[in-house]
Structures are given as C-alpha cells and as structure tokens.
Amino acid sequence: VHLVESGGALVQPGRSLNLSCTTSGFTFADYAMTWVRQAPGKGLEWIGFIRSLSYGGTTEYAASVKGRFTVSRDDSKSIAYLQMNSLKTEDTAVYYCTNSIGYWGQGTLVSVSS
Amino acid sequence: DIQMTQSPSSLSASVGDRVTITCRASQGIRNDLGWYQQKPGRAPKRLIFAASNLQSGVPSRFIGSGSGTEFTLTISSLQPEDFATYYCLQHNTYPFTFGQGTKLEIK
C-alpha cells in the first residue's frame, strides 16, 4: 500500500492550491479517504473526508476549512484531491492523506505567506 | 464538536517501563477511537483501531482499551523505538477530532 501526496508549494494568501494523493496497493474505490494537516510544531488536525462512491461519495469538513477546501476523488485513477481556495497564513502545514484502513502518505508542505 | 483530552501531555520513562496514556472524550463515542504514533519528521502511523484492535504489523506490547468516554493506550515494556508522540482520534462524530498529543521521552 502506498499513498503519495503532491502539489505542496509556497503560495500567497488568498490564492488557491490543489493537492493530490496518488495511491496504489489497495482497491481505492472501496475506501473513504481523509486529509489531515499538521502546522509547524503543532498537533494533528483532521480537515476533510470523502466517502466511497458506494456510500454516496459525500464529504465532511472541519469548520476551519469548510467553504474553502473541497475533497474529491477519481476512482479511475486511484487519486484523492484537496482543492484549497482562499488560503490563509494559518493554513501553513504539512498535509497528509490517509485511507480508512490506516495507511498514510508522507505528507506535502503547504506554505502560505506574502 | 467532540473534545478529546489526552493526558499526560508529556511523559519521561525508561526502556522496559510500562506506560499508560489516557484519552477522554467530551461525550460518548462507543469504541470509535484510534491511536497513532508519530516520530519527528515522519507521517503518523496507526497502532490501534476500534479502541482495542492492533493494527497489522504493530508489536503486541501496544494495548488499547476503553469504551464510551475513557480510553487508554498502554505500552507494556518500552523499547527504544517507542519514544515518539502519540495521538488519539475519535471517528464517531463529524468533525473527527484528535487529542492534543502525548510526547514520550527517554528518562
């Protein structure tokens, strides 16, 4: 099982960024996917979740990102996405994807600064 | 939101010690709780799911217990590689929430 996040970058406040979580080694379509972030020197923060299409493919979000971030999935490519809009300096963090059987990617760094 | 309160926030112990970390939920979450280990610069690793089930490949010295609002992670005999930060995560009610973490350090 492998999960690899990509797309992290240094961006200015107010801009957008799209992260990808490319997976292999498990039947992606069968599992929910979650995004978690960790600000520098801080703890883990659960931020978003997408159910498998068998459960409607619906999403849930933390209040801190609701309305700005969108989780989506492409089962044909085994990729989960995190679209981040209206970025704020407090969104600076390492972003991880994880599946519902406990596997995590290595993370990708997003820095929001002017 | 459900608040997850971990204690202690930090802990010093020696190799071979038995240590226990506690996580309390602000409301009942049945057994919808996982425990995670994180080493510096690394991704978290799930140790326990459904409060007491050992993730595949995790040593049996990691023991999870509890239900409802109080949960514990016990390491029965600390090994050098166990010094890390530990987090609990409730997945009963959205938004899911982590505890603030327990940093386990070498005495």
Side-chain angles (χ1 to χ4, degrees), chain A residues 36 38 42-46 49 51 60-62 96 100-106, chain B residues 1 36 38 41-46 55-56 87 89 94-100:
Chain A
V36 172
Q38 187 169 38
K42 302 298 185 182
L44 301 172
E45 180 187 11
W46 181 94
F49 168 89
R51 296 175 178 85
E60 307 285 346
Y61 298 96
Y96 297 101
S100 50
I101 49 174
Y103 292 93
W104 291 61
Q106 84 291 347
Chain B
D1 297 2
Y36 295 79
Q38 188 181 32
R42 304 287 296 275
K45 172 186 175 182
R46 190 168 78 174
Q55 183 81 11
S56 176
Y87 296 92
L89 168 69
Y94 296 108
F96 295 169
T97 43
F98 284 95
Q100 79 276 18

Side-chain angles (χ1 to χ4, degrees), chain A residues 55-66:
Chain A
Y55 287 88
T58 51
T59 53
E60 307 285 346
Y61 298 96
S64 58
V65 306
K66 195 169 186 178

Side-chain angles (χ1 to χ4, degrees), chain B residues 3-65:
Chain B
Q3 306 302 316
M4 303 300 296
T5 304
Q6 269 184 250
S7 60
S9 56
S10 64
L11 175 60
S12 294
S14 301
V15 172
D17 284 354
R18 179 184 182 92
V19 299
T20 297
I21 300 168
T22 297
C23 207
R24 288 187 175 89
S26 59
Q27 63 190 70
I29 58 169
R30 303 183 305 183
N31 69 337
D32 298 329
L33 183 117
W35 287 99
Y36 295 79
Q37 176 194 66
Q38 188 181 32
K39 297 181 179 179
R42 304 287 296 275
K45 172 186 175 182
R46 190 168 78 174
L47 303 174
I48 300 286
F49 64 95
S52 60
N53 293 271
L54 198 64
Q55 183 81 11
S56 176
V58 173
S60 59
R61 63 181 180 271
F62 292 94
I63 303 163
S65 65

Side-chain angles (χ1 to χ4, degrees), chain A residues 1-80:
Chain A
V1 176
H2 286 95
L3 293 81
V4 179
E5 301 91 342
S6 59
L10 171 62
V11 295
Q12 294 179 325
R15 301 299 291 267
S16 298
L17 203 58
N18 191 34
L19 305 184
S20 299
C21 172
T22 303
T23 74
S24 61
F26 66 104
T27 305
F28 180 82
D30 289 349
Y31 295 96
M33 295 296 295
T34 297
W35 288 90
V36 172
R37 70 183 180 184
Q38 187 169 38
K42 302 298 185 182
L44 301 172
E45 180 187 11
W46 181 94
I47 57 170
F49 168 89
I50 186 165
R51 296 175 178 85
S52 68
L53 293 183
S54 300
Y55 287 88
T58 51
T59 53
E60 307 285 346
Y61 298 96
S64 58
V65 306
K66 195 169 186 178
R68 300 188 299 125
F69 289 12
T70 302
V71 180
S72 60
R73 61 189 300 150
D74 184 336
D75 289 356
S76 69
K77 296 180 179 179
S78 299
I79 299 176

